[in-house]
Amino acid sequence: MSAANDAVKTVLDVTEIPPRDRHPAIFELFDSLAVGEAIELVNDHDPKPLYYQFQAERPGQLDWA
């Protein structure tokens, strides 16, 4: 088992959140995480824009799988 699998993980399903509120909700949850905790994101759209936003706004602060 890898260290990533040992992390505390919160599942966030954004499919029921209005699109304009999704990224703010994701960033709010991300900012509340302790080191070693993780988010499993459930969505219904391409996550690449979110990935690029994380790279711009939180550089070096996350691993993305």
Side-chain angles (χ1 to χ4, degrees):
M1 183 176 276
S2 74
N5 290 336
D6 293 339
V8 174
K9 180 171 42 176
T10 300
V11 177
L12 178 61
D13 183 347
V14 297
T15 60
E16 299 298 320
I17 298 174
R20 72 179 180 279
D21 297 330
R22 290 179 182 185
H23 285 201
I26 294 164
F27 276 86
E28 181 178 340
L29 177 58
F30 176 81
D31 290 339
S32 75
L33 296 176
V35 173
E37 292 182 328
I39 299 170
E40 180 177 329
L41 183 63
V42 178
N43 68 11
D44 55 1
H45 63 282
D46 184 357
K48 283 183 184 176
L50 177 63
Y51 174 78
Y52 295 132
Q53 186 177 356
F54 265 111
Q55 293 302 310
E57 295 183 18
R58 306 294 191 282
Q61 295 183 23
L62 73 148
D63 289 326
W64 183 282

